[in-house]
Amino acid sequence: MVAEKLDLTKSDKVYYTAKKKAEVVDLGTYPYLTISGQSAPDAERFLSAIEKLYKVAYTIKFMQKAEDLDFKIPKMEGQWWIAGGYEQQHLFESTPQDQWHWRLLMRMPISVSEGVFEAGIAAALSRDKSLDVTSVQYEVINLGECVQCLHVGSYQEEKPTIDKILSLMQEQCLKPNGYHTEIYLSDPRRTAEEKLRTIIRHPVC
């Protein structure tokens, strides 16, 4: 009997869904693959980071599949900030893109431990040394309380959605407690720009 493939977008709808109206959600602690850098989002460094993240994710997926723990590759996420951290977020849009800091994340099933991750890195390197994946990290992150909103449309036109989040934060006297996070629900290679669906999420306290 073949074990059912885990799809986090279905098993954890609280995490992977959002409304077009800003709302407060309380999230938990999750394991992630992450990779960080500084560059514009169309720079080679950024595109290479995406490739590395997916290479490790797929290596771990097939290792888990052999253990009857197969899972669907989760949605990629991105955190964005500038020098000075999230307290300087209001200056983000006016900052040259090559000065943007980012961290790409991919949530992993709870079955993926640090040991599984390390074995995945070793396996990926043994199969293909041309793409060095040692910059990919394993992190367990506690998200806690967040304000989020669903954005539909271009990544360059997120400001009205972000304004909804900031307005709710002000109404409820909430302060930023982490980086601007985007969960990319749509594949930009297959989705018209005006139909892209992205969860924008700000950790708060």
Side-chain angles (χ1 to χ4, degrees):
M1 182 176 177
V2 179
E4 184 178 354
K5 184 187 298 186
L6 174 65
D7 184 346
L8 288 173
T9 62
K10 295 179 180 178
S11 64
D12 193 350
K13 292 185 178 181
V14 172
Y15 187 96
Y16 286 103
T17 59
K19 301 175 182 176
K20 291 184 179 180
K21 179 181 179 180
E23 60 182 339
V24 179
V25 293
D26 193 14
L27 301 171
T29 301
Y30 314 98
Y32 295 85
L33 303 180
T34 70
I35 185 168
S36 302
Q38 178 183 341
S39 72
D42 59 353
E44 178 58 34
R45 181 177 185 181
F46 183 81
L47 300 176
S48 176
I50 294 176
E51 186 178 1
K52 292 175 183 180
L53 192 67
Y54 273 98
K55 180 177 181 180
V56 175
Y58 272 102
T59 301
I60 291 174
K61 167 189 164 62
F62 290 120
M63 291 172 59
Q64 291 286 91
K65 184 177 181 179
E67 301 292 331
D68 290 329
L69 294 169
D70 195 11
F71 61 91
K72 185 175 180 180
I73 295 295
K75 304 296 184 182
M76 192 178 73
E77 307 178 29
Q79 294 180 332
W80 300 87
W81 69 95
I82 58 173
Y86 53 81
E87 293 181 352
Q88 301 300 316
Q89 192 67 33
H90 62 289
L91 299 175
F92 185 84
E93 292 295 336
S94 61
T95 301
Q97 290 190 359
D98 60 0
Q99 296 179 29
W100 289 4
H101 293 264
W102 43 263
R103 177 166 66 166
L104 299 177
L105 307 92
M106 188 175 289
R107 185 177 157 187
M108 289 285 101
I110 197 68
S111 61
V112 178
S113 64
E114 188 167 8
V116 170
F117 163 75
E118 291 172 351
I121 290 287
L125 288 172
S126 68
R127 292 170 186 162
D128 181 8
K129 293 184 174 62
S130 64
L131 186 65
D132 184 359
V133 295
T134 55
S135 52
V136 178
Q137 304 293 315
Y138 177 85
E139 296 187 59
V140 177
I141 302 172
N142 178 26
L143 294 183
E145 195 172 40
C146 300
V147 178
Q148 67 177 25
C149 192
L150 178 66
H151 174 72
V152 179
S154 167
Y155 303 136
Q156 285 72 44
E157 297 175 355
E158 292 180 352
K159 187 178 185 305
T161 305
I162 295 171
D163 287 345
K164 292 179 186 179
I165 291 173
L166 297 178
S167 178
L168 183 60
M169 288 172 59
Q170 186 175 24
E171 288 174 15
Q172 298 198 14
C173 299
L174 297 169
K175 296 181 180 179
N177 191 37
Y179 298 125
H180 169 102
T181 302
E182 301 176 355
I183 303 179
Y184 306 108
L185 301 178
S186 305
D187 185 341
R189 298 169 301 176
R190 300 184 176 93
T191 308
E193 191 173 60
E194 65 273 13
K195 294 182 179 180
L196 290 170
R197 297 170 69 252
T198 307
I199 296 175
I200 299 179
R201 183 175 286 163
H202 286 195
V204 294
C205 60

